[in-house]
Amino acid sequence: MKIVFVCLGNICRSPMAEAVFRQWLEAAQLTGVTVDSAGTGNWHEGSEPHEGTLHLLEQEGIDASGMEARILSQKDFQSDYLIAMDAETAGTLHSLKGSGTGGAAVFRLLDFADSEEEDVPDPYFTGDFEETYKLILQGCSGLFHELFPDASERV
Ligand code: 4NP
């Protein structure tokens, strides 16, 4: 199974979700699941995550190594799940999916959260990485339980 988290720049939100989800997969010793992230824009290609994301992940004891921003490609549509951080990104994914061949299921991360919010706020503009992290935790937790109900007790 392959899951790709997607935002605009691939430096703030989607790498945060990727790192959180990977840590839980490792904690539950789930093998055969690949997690990655990408951006719909190419402004930051090749960059490491934003210092706000790196700082927050470090504070939470979550490994943030080895992540480099990249732009979404047609190949990503061959993954199983494309998880968008907001409506704008989900819209881009739906329209690109329409023109391509891959069968990835497209969702918004907060579709899986028990939250009033529908979009993960973009800390690149809000500056509030904590708020973003809290919502990412809720969404990732819901997604994890949905995909791996048997493993959920182990994280
Ligand atoms: P992200 O945040 O989509 O959460 O990575 C952004 C980062 C950079 C830009 C926009 C959003 N930008 O316009 O450069």
Side-chain angles (χ1 to χ4, degrees), residues 7-14 43-44 122-125:
C7 62
L8 297 178
N10 193 211
I11 55 167
C12 297
R13 293 167 295 173
S14 60
W43 313 284
H44 301 280
D122 191 343
Y124 190 75
F125 301 109

Side-chain angles (χ1 to χ4, degrees), residues 7-152:
C7 62
L8 297 178
N10 193 211
I11 55 167
C12 297
R13 293 167 295 173
S14 60
M16 199 185 275
E18 175 190 346
V20 165
F21 210 81
R22 179 175 294 119
Q23 162 145 316
W24 292 350
L25 289 172
E26 284 172 7
Q29 296 179 303
L30 279 166
T31 51
V33 186
T34 312
V35 60
D36 198 359
S37 64
T40 56
N42 66 355
W43 313 284
H44 301 280
E45 242 179 328
S47 301
E48 63 175 9
H50 190 287
E51 61 182 14
T53 287
L54 289 177
H55 176 75
L56 203 132
L57 290 171
E58 187 187 335
Q59 179 186 301
E60 300 296 328
I62 298 169
D63 182 19
S65 60
M67 293 193 286
E68 239 182 46
R70 68 176 183 90
I71 188 162
L72 183 80
S73 76
Q74 271 304 333
K75 214 171 148 218
D76 289 305
F77 287 85
Q78 287 160 20
S79 56
D80 298 283
Y81 295 97
L82 291 176
I83 308 292
M85 294 297 132
D86 57 25
E88 183 184 350
T89 308
T92 305
L93 293 176
H94 281 299
S95 57
L96 289 172
K97 188 183 165 179
S99 59
T101 52
V106 176
F107 292 100
R108 267 195 278 191
L109 182 65
L110 297 184
D111 290 343
F112 301 95
D114 196 12
S115 122
E116 305 250 300
E117 307 283 339
E118 295 188 344
D119 293 335
V120 178
D122 191 343
Y124 190 75
F125 301 109
T126 67
D128 191 343
F129 285 83
E130 291 278 352
E131 177 197 28
T132 290
Y133 177 69
K134 280 185 195 145
L135 287 166
I136 281 180
L137 277 188
Q138 287 181 31
C140 282
S141 172
L143 176 63
F144 195 90
H145 283 75
E146 176 93 14
L147 295 180
F148 314 112
D150 297 339
S152 298

